[in-house]
Amino acid sequence: MCIGVLLGGILSEKSIGGAMNRTNEKTWIYAAILLAVVIVATGLTQVATLSGTMRDEAVPGGTFVSLGMLSVYVTVCAIGGPLGALVGSVGSLFGCLIASIWVKGATAYCIPAFLFMGGIAFFMELMLKKDNSWKGLFKLGMYASAILLVAFFLYYLIFMGDYDVAAKSLPINILQFAINSLVAVPILKMMTVMQNKSRAGKVSA
């Protein structure tokens, strides 16, 4: 219920398509709250599903699953623009740092999480502006999942030099990104409907 009230307040401050009003105090408050949401969703829900080592066994690592991607979807739709992307990327970074307290090897994903989630957030912003229909949102989830799947696969393979983890991570990440995207679609649809109503109310006023 608290999240619903928060989103209602945010959506009343912004119009459809991810374009924010002038940055103000409320916007920064919402951004701070959503930053905490991304950190919690990325860090506190992170679970190791495939343990191992990378880069010639010098770095502990593996494959981890979390609700981080879902929280980035919501953040971008709620506040949009560069600020939404920044909140998503910084939240993902600190989420990995927090997860490393109990999940061995999570620190290996701090930088890629920052870069990949920031990049995917900008992509989400562009896609939401073009089409926020049910079909468009399903496309968004599919494309975002595919991009992240390839990005993390190449990270395992090239930068961390672990072919075994790269191969075994594919089905796990496919499932993880698919679940995050499918859960996000009805949430994003609800948010865009709220944005449309807010915009219509302002025009009629």
Side-chain angles (χ1 to χ4, degrees):
M1 183 175 180
C2 292
I3 295 296
V5 173
L6 167 65
L7 292 177
I10 295 172
L11 298 177
S12 67
E13 295 290 323
K14 89 185 259 302
S15 59
I16 190 68
M20 290 190 304
N21 293 330
R22 292 183 179 277
T23 302
N24 51 35
E25 186 177 344
K26 283 187 177 180
T27 301
W28 287 108
I29 292 173
Y30 294 143
I33 295 172
L34 287 168
L35 176 63
V37 170
V38 176
I39 292 173
V40 169
T42 302
L44 299 186
T45 67
Q46 194 164 138
V47 178
T49 56
L50 176 65
S51 60
T53 54
M54 298 186 286
R55 201 183 292 157
D56 297 325
E57 301 190 357
V59 179
T63 301
F64 310 98
V65 297
S66 75
L67 296 176
M69 186 177 177
L70 172 61
S71 65
V72 173
Y73 275 119
V74 172
T75 297
V76 172
C77 188
I79 57 179
L83 182 58
L86 181 63
V87 169
S89 58
V90 172
S92 299
L93 169 65
F94 281 98
C96 287
L97 286 174
I98 291 175
S100 67
I101 297 173
W102 65 86
V103 180
K104 187 178 180 181
T107 52
Y109 298 92
C110 290
I111 299 303
F114 177 83
L115 296 175
F116 298 162
M117 287 303 176
I120 211 69
F122 274 113
F123 172 76
M124 292 176 188
E125 168 78 2
L126 294 174
M127 290 286 287
L128 283 170
K129 283 181 178 179
K130 291 182 178 180
D131 187 0
N132 51 56
S133 65
W134 282 105
K135 182 178 179 180
L137 293 174
F138 276 111
K139 277 186 178 181
L140 167 61
M142 182 177 66
Y143 293 155
S145 296
I147 292 170
L148 285 175
L149 186 69
V150 172
F152 277 104
F153 178 80
L154 293 177
Y155 173 72
Y156 296 134
L157 194 63
I158 298 173
F159 293 98
M160 300 306 290
D162 192 291
Y163 303 96
D164 187 52
V165 172
K168 291 179 179 178
S169 70
L170 278 175
I172 297 172
N173 279 337
I174 288 173
L175 182 62
Q176 172 186 198
F177 297 149
I179 291 174
N180 272 264
S181 296
L182 289 174
V183 173
V185 167
I187 296 175
L188 295 182
K189 187 60 182 177
M190 176 193 71
M191 292 174 69
T192 55
V193 169
M194 291 171 66
Q195 290 170 350
N196 277 326
K197 288 182 178 179
S198 176
R199 186 182 183 185
K202 289 179 180 179
V203 171
S204 61

